[in-house]
Amino acid sequence: MTLQTDVFGEWTAEVLAVRSGRWQPERDRAFWQEKAAHYDAGQPPLPNTVAWLRERLTGAASLLDVGAGTGRLTLPLAGAVGRVTALDHSPDMLAVLRAKGPPAYLHLRQQELADALQDPTLPPHDAVLSAWSLAYLPDLRGALTGLLRLARRDLFLLEDDGVGSPHVTLRRQLAGQPRPTRASSLRRALHALGAEPEHLQIPEERELTFPDTAALLAQARLPLGAAEALAFLRPHLTPEGEGWRYRWTFDVHALHVPLGTRP
C-alpha cells in the first residue's frame, strides 16, 4: 500500500521554512534588484531546452512566460510564436529585458504572479511557460490551477531536482542538507489536480573557467583541504594554462501538460 502525502502542504511548509524569507514578495524583489544587472552573466545557455520548447510551440499563436526575468528563455522562444507576454514581479529584471530591445510583439507585464493568476485582464495564451518561478510561492495549488486555466493548449514547467554542479551537490551532502525535489513535487501536484504531465530530463552543459587553482577552490567553497577538493573536482577539470576549465552536465526537468488540440 502506497502512503499518500499532502504534496501541497509539504510544499507550503518547505517554502515558509526558507530562512531568506523570499516567499515575501518585497524580499524577493529586493533579491532580484541586487542580482538583475549581473544575472545573465552567471547563467548557462540552455540550447537543448530551448530546442525542445520551440519544437512543441509549433503552431502556437501566443506564449505567456511566467517569471520571465531578463528574457533568458523568452527571447530565444519569441520567434516561435506570434505574441508573447513576459510576466515578472521584478521591475529590475524586466528593465534588463527591456534594454535588450525585444520585438514589438513581446509585451512586458510587471505583476505578482499570485495577483496575475486572478486578474481577468490577463487573457489565456496558447502556451504557458513557468521556468523555475514557483519555488517561493506558498500556494502551489492556487498557482498550478491558475496556470492550467491560462494555458489553452500547453503548460510547460521547468525545474530541477537538486542535482546541479558537482561542488554544490557535494556541499549539500557534507552539510547533511536534503536534496531539493521540486520537480518531483510539481509532478505529484499536477497528478493530484488531474493533469497528466509528460516528464522529460533534458541534458545541458555548464562550463566555467578559472585563472588558477585558488580561484577554482574559492568558487567551489568545499569544506575540504585543497588537495582533497581538487581530487574531487578533477574528473570535471581540463587544464588551461595556469588555470582550469570546469565543465559538468546537468538535467533540466521539463513537465509538459498538453491541454488542447494541436493544428
Side-chain angles (χ1 to χ4, degrees):
M1 179 177 178
T2 302
L3 179 65
Q4 298 296 319
T5 59
D6 177 13
V7 63
F8 300 108
E10 291 172 0
W11 182 281
T12 300
E14 290 178 7
V15 170
L16 297 181
V18 174
R19 285 184 292 180
S20 67
R22 286 180 56 193
W23 50 272
Q24 301 173 67
E26 64 276 11
R27 290 199 177 185
D28 198 52
R29 284 194 299 271
F31 174 87
W32 291 118
Q33 182 180 25
E34 181 181 343
K35 298 289 185 182
H38 307 290
Y39 176 78
D40 287 341
Q43 299 303 311
L46 300 172
N48 297 331
T49 303
V50 169
W52 182 83
L53 286 167
R54 285 184 67 92
E55 181 180 356
R56 280 152 184 79
L57 286 172
T58 300
S62 58
L63 169 67
L64 169 63
D65 187 359
V66 171
T70 62
R72 178 187 182 195
L73 291 172
T74 321
L75 291 174
L77 293 174
V81 295
R83 179 169 59 89
V84 182
T85 301
L87 172 70
D88 203 285
H89 78 151
S90 168
D92 301 279
M93 294 290 275
L94 288 178
V96 175
L97 172 52
R98 186 177 293 108
K100 295 176 181 178
Y105 57 83
L106 199 162
H107 172 65
L108 276 58
R109 183 178 180 121
Q110 182 195 335
Q111 190 173 20
E112 294 296 332
L113 176 56
D115 295 337
L117 294 176
Q118 304 297 324
D119 191 336
T121 68
L122 179 61
H125 289 58
D126 282 356
V128 174
L129 169 65
S130 173
W132 297 282
S133 60
L134 303 179
Y136 298 106
L137 287 181
D139 182 10
L140 181 61
R141 183 190 296 273
L144 291 179
T145 300
L147 293 174
L148 287 165
R149 178 183 60 81
L150 287 169
R152 282 191 292 254
R153 201 189 79 171
D154 300 283
L155 173 62
F156 302 100
L157 304 178
L158 303 185
E159 253 299 349
D160 62 71
D161 259 3
V163 180
S165 64
H167 61 279
V168 171
T169 300
L170 180 61
R171 279 209 310 263
R172 286 177 176 155
Q173 292 173 352
L174 294 175
Q177 296 175 344
R179 193 185 83 188
T181 56
R182 285 193 289 267
S184 300
S185 295
L186 288 175
R187 187 179 185 185
R188 290 169 54 210
L190 286 168
H191 278 297
L193 293 175
E196 296 296 331
E198 170 194 9
H199 183 193
L200 183 69
Q201 293 177 228
I202 305 173
E204 297 286 5
E205 186 175 88
R206 181 78 189 269
E207 181 177 285
L208 300 174
T209 57
F210 299 93
D212 51 41
T213 300
L216 169 66
L217 295 178
Q219 171 76 21
R221 292 188 291 112
L222 291 170
L224 303 170
E228 191 176 2
L230 198 59
F232 169 78
L233 296 171
R234 184 78 66 176
H236 307 282
L237 299 177
T238 302
E240 189 169 271
E242 296 182 359
W244 300 96
R245 188 176 296 274
Y246 177 26
R247 181 186 295 112
W248 69 90
T249 59
F250 62 96
D251 286 334
V252 173
H253 287 250
L255 297 170
H256 172 211
V257 183
L259 298 165
T261 304
R262 292 171 175 270

